[in-house]
Amino acid sequence: MTTGENGGAAVPARLRELPSRLLGQASTHAQRLVTEALGRADAHKWHYAAMVALEESGPVSQAALSDRTGIHRSDLVAVINELAERELVERAPDPDDRRRNVITLTPLGRRRLRRLEQILDTAQDELLSPLSAAERAQLTRLLGRIVEHHAYGASAMGPDGQ
Amino acid sequence: MTTGENGGAAVPARLRELPSRLLGQASTHAQRLVTEALGRADAHKWHYAAMVALEESGPVSQAALSDRTGIHRSDLVAVINELAERELVERAPDPDDRRRNVITLTPLGRRRLRRLEQILDTAQDELLSPLSAAERAQLTRLLGRIVEHHAYGASAMGPDGQ
DNA sequence: CCGCTTGCGTTGGTGTCACTAACGATATAG
DNA sequence: CTATATCGTTAGTGACACCAACGCAAGCGG
């Protein structure tokens, strides 16, 4: 979808103002910006997500990491591989439960995370450049409400949920 | 990415509040909602986009349609095929320029479009259900500014209007 | 202790989507 | 007439979200 080029042709208002479409296009631009920025530093969105979660939670299993990042556990394998390859993370079997791998952020990983944070800050800034600070906060709040609202469905979830 | 399931595990605030990530997740939910809704009616996002553009512009070439909808011209081929198959649209060679196909919305297509509009309205409503009318308008405006701002690059034109 | 069920990490695969590359046919410029 | 550009079309790519199934380990009931 994404727009590509447009030599001044009229995009119908019904399309221009359709929220689902706006979300799609904005998301495409957003992903492109952050993917390119991180790519220049040999990194990936998922690397950042995993490392942030690891810094907050300390060493955890891959399953827990999947919950905390939203990265599917089948995709997480490759992410951990790449991070471990670069020695940003260590994967070790959990002695208490030998089904698990405990993932630990290395000091190098922590430094790396600082760098990725800078890169992402810049990218967000570019993404939101047409908006004021107040508008950015507003947008973030509104999107957060939408995402939170639609965050149900797949799992069983305890009886207490909801 | 999309969240999948979450048994109450803590998603770090740095992730939850990252605009590019919020956009991605919101977009995923949005696309899922509209794709499923339209799918139940044997339709597709692109069908709607093309038909809206055709209704506004009258008969146009595929290239023009591509500009007006943002659908890549290589993808538009299949879209027109599907619409023509259902007799919602007619594809005829342009006598004035035999490289072109002129695409015309049929009366059946126009009726069909009314139906798709209903479906999409419902889907947008579900998507935005946690927001008030004012907030929905706000969100649409903010997203529109972002999309518009990033809608450059490929063609001539200054790279970064600002 | 044994069998059953559940959770873990891993592999391989699927469908959607935006986008690129190249081609034959046609139109237009020099 | 030759060169270049545009149009529709085909095929293919890479990113992404997600599913299915497996081997293995843990925990539980009997």
Side-chain angles (χ1 to χ4, degrees):
Chain A
M1 250 175 191
T2 6
T3 300
E5 66 292 310
N6 188 328
V11 178
R14 267 178 288 175
L15 296 183
R16 267 187 353 241
E17 294 168 8
L18 196 64
S20 60
R21 190 185 165 87
L22 285 169
L23 276 174
Q25 300 199 172
S27 170
T28 298
H29 289 301
Q31 306 314 308
R32 172 146 48 214
L33 282 176
V34 319
T35 298
E36 279 176 2
L38 289 174
R40 268 175 252 126
D42 182 41
H44 197 275
K45 290 186 303 177
W46 297 332
H47 298 14
Y48 173 73
M51 286 162 73
V52 166
L54 282 175
E55 190 175 50
E56 296 228 343
S57 315
V60 287
S61 71
Q62 291 184 203
L65 210 47
S66 173
D67 286 345
R68 284 166 171 74
T69 57
I71 302 171
H72 197 104
R73 54 188 219 285
S74 63
D75 297 320
L76 195 53
V77 178
V79 174
I80 305 291
N81 283 345
E82 290 160 14
L83 291 175
E85 218 169 70
R86 290 160 179 74
E87 305 190 0
L88 307 172
V89 134
E90 267 192 17
R91 184 200 259 128
D94 184 342
D96 296 352
D97 183 343
R98 297 195 348 264
R99 291 172 302 181
R100 292 184 190 173
N101 287 333
V102 180
I103 313 299
T104 311
L105 191 62
T106 66
L108 182 59
R110 199 175 294 263
R111 267 175 283 149
R112 178 75 168 150
L113 180 51
R114 297 283 86 79
R115 176 81 189 104
L116 296 193
E117 262 161 353
Q118 288 175 20
I119 293 174
L120 270 177
D121 267 17
T122 306
Q124 306 300 309
D125 213 68
E126 192 179 345
L127 171 65
L128 302 176
S129 59
L131 305 188
S132 73
E135 288 169 330
R136 296 177 190 198
Q138 173 75 352
L139 178 66
T140 302
R141 262 194 35 240
L142 294 175
L143 289 175
R145 302 236 318 267
I146 290 177
V147 168
E148 185 197 19
H149 179 263
H150 290 283
Y152 298 123
S155 80
M157 179 142 242
D160 61 308
Q162 210 340 315
Chain B
M1 253 173 186
T2 7
T3 298
E5 64 294 309
N6 188 325
V11 178
R14 268 178 288 176
L15 295 183
R16 268 188 351 240
E17 294 169 6
L18 195 64
S20 60
R21 189 184 166 89
L22 285 169
L23 275 173
Q25 300 198 172
S27 169
T28 298
H29 289 300
Q31 305 315 307
R32 172 148 42 215
L33 282 176
V34 318
T35 299
E36 278 174 4
L38 289 175
R40 267 175 253 125
D42 182 42
H44 196 276
K45 293 186 302 178
W46 297 333
H47 298 14
Y48 174 73
M51 285 162 68
V52 166
L54 282 174
E55 190 174 51
E56 295 229 343
S57 314
V60 287
S61 71
Q62 291 184 203
L65 209 48
S66 173
D67 286 345
R68 283 165 172 75
T69 57
I71 301 171
H72 197 104
R73 53 189 221 285
S74 62
D75 297 319
L76 195 52
V77 177
V79 174
I80 305 292
N81 283 345
E82 289 159 13
L83 291 175
E85 220 167 69
R86 291 160 179 74
E87 306 190 359
L88 308 171
V89 134
E90 266 191 19
R91 184 200 260 127
D94 184 343
D96 295 353
D97 182 344
R98 299 199 344 268
R99 291 172 302 179
R100 292 184 189 170
N101 287 332
V102 180
I103 313 299
T104 312
L105 191 62
T106 67
L108 182 59
R110 198 174 296 263
R111 267 176 283 149
R112 177 76 168 151
L113 180 51
R114 297 284 85 80
R115 176 82 189 106
L116 296 192
E117 262 160 354
Q118 287 176 21
I119 292 175
L120 271 177
D121 267 15
T122 306
Q124 306 300 308
D125 213 67
E126 192 179 346
L127 171 65
L128 302 176
S129 58
L131 306 186
S132 71
E135 289 168 329
R136 296 177 190 198
Q138 238 310 15
L139 180 66
T140 303
R141 260 195 39 240
L142 295 175
L143 289 175
R145 302 234 320 264
I146 290 177
V147 169
E148 184 197 21
H149 178 262
H150 291 283
Y152 296 122
S155 67
M157 271 217 131
D160 191 24
Q162 159 76 266

